[in-house]
Amino acid sequence: ALQGFTEVSNYSFVSEEQAERFGMRPDEHVRVLNPIAADQSLMRRSLIPGIFSNLEENSKHFASFRLFEVGNEIDKRAGELPRQIAHLVAAVFNREGDGSAGLFELKRLAGILAPGVDVQATDALSYEHPARTVDILWQGEMVGRLFELHPSTAKGRIEGRAAILDLNLDRVLELRPVQTKCRQVKRFP
């Protein structure tokens, strides 16, 4: 487990309904020609729909929990093979409280993975809380988002507050500081 978080694994597929719930058009996805199930007809462009399903199911049984998934998002490109982008999505759920503790916990986690991260207020997407959404900046570049789920997204599905961190791991690895090699100091002058 990562910092008290439980790892989950979700399929790399989503349904058209899941894509639309999170503001993505189905035609922006790579379509699976022969899906094994009707709700798995598109390759995922985000790990968030899978994490949302995990939040929905686990919130029925637990008053609080922490989850994370590391996986690839599939980026459709015209005339080329799709590109896979490694992401980490972590979520903190709590049935009690105002949800701020989950946001601070996820900012702390982002700081562990990319020391010195900063946050900047940004416009919320349809499923993000308008007053609790920030971009995660590292070394002057945007590497992810931190937000609380919009109450209308969770209404009737999740009874409690859920904060989510979505971090582009490929971008974090590109920006990490270059490690310098040091020579061993001579024992005798």
Side-chain angles (χ1 to χ4, degrees):
L2 170 75
Q3 296 290 312
F5 286 71
T6 301
E7 184 173 14
V8 296
S9 292
N10 292 299
Y11 289 115
S12 295
F13 310 104
V14 294
S15 67
E16 289 186 18
E17 185 264 328
Q18 285 174 308
E20 289 170 347
R21 179 185 304 144
F22 292 95
M24 297 174 275
R25 294 191 338 254
D27 64 333
E28 296 173 332
H29 291 73
V30 174
R31 187 167 292 282
V32 178
L33 295 178
N34 190 15
I36 57 175
D39 65 341
Q40 297 179 354
S41 60
L42 306 172
M43 298 292 292
R44 67 181 175 190
R45 288 192 55 227
S46 172
L47 277 62
I48 292 172
I51 288 290
F52 181 81
S53 295
N54 298 132
L55 286 166
E56 188 176 17
E57 187 58 35
N58 283 287
S59 67
K60 296 174 187 174
H61 308 288
F62 302 102
S64 66
F65 56 88
R66 301 169 180 186
L67 314 165
F68 81 98
E69 180 179 12
V70 175
N72 289 322
E73 295 182 354
I74 311 300
D75 186 22
K76 182 179 180 178
R77 299 186 298 176
E80 296 181 53
L81 290 174
R83 183 177 64 170
Q84 297 184 45
I85 306 164
H87 273 251
L88 167 115
V89 174
V92 174
F93 170 81
N94 202 326
R95 200 169 283 145
E96 304 295 325
D98 69 355
S100 60
L103 291 166
F104 288 121
E105 178 66 17
L106 290 173
K107 183 178 182 291
R108 183 189 71 81
L109 177 62
I112 290 169
L113 298 170
V117 296
D118 197 11
V119 296
Q120 178 180 342
T122 189
D123 293 332
L125 300 174
S126 62
Y127 55 90
E128 298 172 340
H129 193 292
R132 292 182 172 217
T133 300
V134 294
D135 285 334
I136 301 290
L137 304 172
W138 192 44
Q139 299 185 15
E141 302 267 343
M142 189 182 99
V143 295
R145 289 176 81 83
L146 173 60
F147 60 92
E148 186 175 306
L149 280 175
H150 193 286
S152 67
T153 303
K155 187 173 183 166
R157 296 176 176 268
I158 299 172
E159 296 302 323
R161 309 284 287 254
I164 297 177
L165 169 68
D166 183 0
L167 202 58
N168 182 330
L169 293 178
D170 283 349
R171 193 70 188 126
V172 168
L173 289 174
E174 288 172 9
L175 294 172
R176 76 176 183 263
V178 177
Q179 294 183 0
T180 58
K181 218 174 196 181
C182 298
R183 294 188 323 235
Q184 187 173 4
V185 177
K186 294 181 181 181
R187 291 181 66 175
F188 301 103

